[in-house]
Each structure stands twice: as C-alpha cells, then as structure tokens.
C-alpha cells in the first residue's frame, strides 16, 4: 500500500484483494481472515472491514457468520447511476484492459441516431466499435456514436488512449452530465457470439445509453453487448420520496434542454 498516494487506502486494498481473488481463488473459496489481511498489507482493521464491506455490496464476496468471508462471484459488476468509462470501471476492479477489433469512421446517421441525438439534417456522427477485454478475456462489444462537430480532427488523431471519455475530457473539454440507459437481456447474434467467445445461443446483457452535455444537448449513443456470465448490472433503488425529487429534477433538466 502506498500511504503517500492520494488514493484512499481502502481503494488500494480493494484493487489488491480483487487481484488476489482473480489469481488465486475460485468461487466458494475463503478469503484470509481480517487479521491476516491487516498484517499482510499493513493497514488498519477499519480499512480492511470497509474494503470487505464494499466487496460484499458488489457481490464479489459473501460473509457467513461464524465461518468467514467467501468468494461469491467472478462477475464484473457495473453499478448504475454514474457515468464512468468502461476502462475506469475495470481498473477499479484491478483488471487489465485491452482493446481489439477497433473500427472507427465517420458515418451518415440512421433515423434512430437522428432522433436519439437530435441531429440536424446534414450532421454526421463518429462510429467507434471495439471489443473490450479484461485480463485477456473478451467481455463487451461497445459501439459509441458521437457527434462529429464537437470533436474536430478526432478521426485523424485516432483514439490515443484506452478510455474514450478520458480523450474527450482532456482533448476536447467534453464532460458528460447525465445519461439515460435501457437494459435488456437477449440472445447473442452469431457475430457477437464469435467475438465474445461464447456459444451462439448464449444470453447477453444489452445496454443502450444516451449521454448529455451539461446544457442538455444529447452528445452520444452507446450500444453495449456484454457477456451475461461475466457481467452484472447493479442498480440502487430509492423510496417514493426520493423518486419525487428525481422526477422534479428530471422535469427541470428537460425544460433546460429545450432552450
């Protein structure tokens, strides 16, 4: 653990434990006891407990009273409610990312894109398709469609980093404010099955996301096809009072986007 780092110790420990689980344990195996983790990594018991609590909340491990903490799932868990890059999500889980089969070009938008992104008649979009791998294993097929006029010279420069959102922020000052997602389960197409390395009749988790700029302008549509045996979507649900607040905020957001 790097105690001089700006990254909190519990996050550093979380990455280390995820890497340990990935390399040494299988589903059902027990984690070392808290005192062993504390001594091995040189952190406090409070840090160990906070880290394990996060892993429990994410479904990676489960605690059984009187027995210990056990590996529950090797799935990658995406938490809904925040706009983060795929690369960032994987790195937070201690996984090494890799991009394969990258295809990038500028295209005429389909009718669906015209509507979803509120495009003008002659406006074009950039289509970026990638097969994303974690620790050498194909996990997701991601296709990003985003508006060309906001990213001049993008095709010529190419994707200079693993994370598209990092490039958008650093090179173009684009920060996404809000997004709307639709999640559904379906059967993989033959091409998707081939790229993801699963059988043709396998189920996948399909996510469609439309992301917005701070002024309410729709900027990007993302289509993700994720392996259901390696990917899990975690959604936090609120009570009725919180829902009313969200509705009020949403109405305000839509009103702003019309101006």
């Amino acid at each position: 653990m790097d105690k001089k780092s700006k990254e909190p110790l519990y996050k550093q420990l979380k990455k280390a434990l995820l890497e340990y689980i990935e390399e040494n344990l299988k589903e059902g195996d027990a984690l070392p006891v808290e005192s062993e983790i504390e001594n091995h990594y040189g952190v406090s018991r409070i840090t160990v407990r906070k880290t394990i609590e996060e892993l429990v909340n994410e479904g990676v491990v489960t605690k059984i009273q009187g027995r210990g903490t056990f590996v529950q799932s090797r799935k990658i868990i995406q938490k809904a409610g925040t706009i983060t890059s795929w690369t960032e999500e994987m790195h937070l889980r201690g996984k090494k990312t890799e991009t394969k089969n990258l295809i990038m070009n500028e295209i005429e938008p389909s009718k669906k894109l015209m509507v979803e992104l509120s495009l003008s008649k002659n406006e074009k979009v950039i289509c970026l398709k990638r097969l994303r791998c974690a620790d050498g294993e194909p996990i997701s097929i991601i296709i990003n469609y985003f508006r060309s006029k906001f990213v001049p010279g993008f095709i010529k420069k190419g994707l200079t980093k693993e994370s598209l959102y990092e490039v958008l922020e650093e090179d173009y000052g684009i920060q996404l404010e809000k997004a709307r997602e639709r999640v559904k389960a379906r059967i993989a197409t033959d091409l998707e099955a081939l790229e993801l390395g699963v059988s043709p009749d396998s189920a996948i988790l399909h996510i469609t996301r439309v992301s917005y700029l701070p002024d309410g302008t729709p900027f990007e549509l993302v289509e993700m096809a994720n392996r259901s045996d390696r990917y899990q979507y975690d959604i936090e649900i609120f009570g009725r009072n919180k829902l009313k607040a969200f509705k009020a905020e949403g109405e305000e957001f839509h009103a702003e986007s019309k101006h």
Side-chain angles (χ1 to χ4, degrees):
M1 300 294 103
D2 183 1
K3 296 185 178 180
K4 294 182 180 180
S5 172
K6 293 181 180 179
E7 185 176 36
L9 280 175
Y10 81 91
K11 287 192 175 181
Q12 294 184 48
L13 180 59
K14 181 180 176 182
K15 289 180 181 178
L17 287 179
L18 284 168
E19 185 175 340
Y20 174 79
I21 290 170
E22 187 71 26
E23 293 179 355
N24 300 281
L25 303 180
K26 63 182 183 297
E27 195 165 325
D29 285 349
L31 251 63
V33 297
E34 291 181 357
S35 59
E36 290 179 355
I37 296 174
E38 178 184 352
N39 294 330
H40 181 78
Y41 292 101
V43 295
S44 69
R45 186 66 60 89
I46 293 175
T47 298
V48 173
R49 288 177 176 171
K50 181 176 177 60
T51 303
I52 290 178
E53 182 182 349
E54 282 219 352
L55 294 177
V56 169
N57 291 337
E58 292 182 3
V60 177
V61 300
T62 184
K63 296 187 75 171
I64 300 177
Q65 189 68 31
R67 292 186 56 195
T69 304
F70 299 85
V71 177
Q72 178 173 312
S73 172
R74 293 166 64 90
K75 287 187 177 183
I76 295 165
I77 301 174
Q78 166 79 46
K79 294 188 77 66
T82 55
I83 303 175
T84 55
S85 74
W86 192 92
T87 304
E88 184 180 0
E89 285 285 342
M90 297 305 107
H91 288 175
L92 284 172
R93 285 155 179 76
K95 294 185 176 293
K96 297 177 182 178
T97 59
E98 183 183 4
T99 297
K100 294 183 178 180
N101 303 346
L102 187 150
I103 301 173
M104 178 173 58
N105 47 44
E106 189 175 50
I107 64 171
E108 298 286 345
S110 64
K111 289 183 179 180
K112 177 183 178 180
L113 286 172
M114 291 283 291
V115 173
E116 293 278 17
L117 298 180
S118 300
L119 302 176
S120 58
K121 187 176 180 181
N122 298 316
E123 195 173 344
K124 293 184 178 181
V125 297
I126 291 173
C127 174
L128 179 64
K129 179 182 177 182
R130 295 166 290 169
L131 174 64
R132 309 307 306 274
C133 302
D135 292 341
E137 185 177 35
I139 301 294
S140 300
I141 299 169
I142 304 179
I143 306 176
N144 301 78
Y145 301 95
F146 48 99
R147 302 173 72 164
S148 297
K149 71 178 185 179
F150 290 99
V151 288
F154 186 91
I155 293 290
K156 186 175 181 180
K157 292 179 184 177
L159 188 63
T160 56
K161 296 184 178 180
E162 274 270 332
S163 170
L164 169 62
Y165 288 176
E166 190 175 347
V167 172
L168 292 176
E169 289 181 8
E170 294 184 2
D171 294 357
Y172 298 96
I174 293 175
Q175 291 190 329
L176 302 175
E177 181 76 11
K178 294 191 178 184
R180 184 184 75 249
E181 289 190 337
R182 294 187 293 271
V183 184
K184 67 178 182 180
R186 63 172 174 81
I187 300 300
T189 66
D190 289 344
L191 180 58
E192 288 170 340
L194 180 64
E195 290 188 299
L196 292 172
V198 297
S199 60
D201 58 347
S202 296
I204 62 169
L205 190 65
H206 187 270
I207 299 171
T208 303
R209 174 196 292 175
V210 178
S211 303
Y212 299 83
L213 300 176
D215 65 357
T217 301
F219 169 75
E220 173 201 43
L221 183 141
V222 184
E223 299 276 2
M224 295 178 62
N226 305 294
R227 285 179 55 171
S228 61
D229 63 333
R230 288 291 182 269
Y231 202 92
Q232 179 175 316
Y233 211 61
D234 190 20
I235 301 174
E236 189 172 6
I237 299 174
F238 297 95
R240 292 177 62 83
N241 289 336
K242 193 74 172 179
L243 179 60
K244 291 177 183 177
F246 280 148
K247 284 184 177 179
E249 183 183 351
E251 289 171 1
E252 181 181 345
F253 173 68
H254 286 301
E256 289 176 357
S257 67
K258 290 179 181 177
H259 296 300

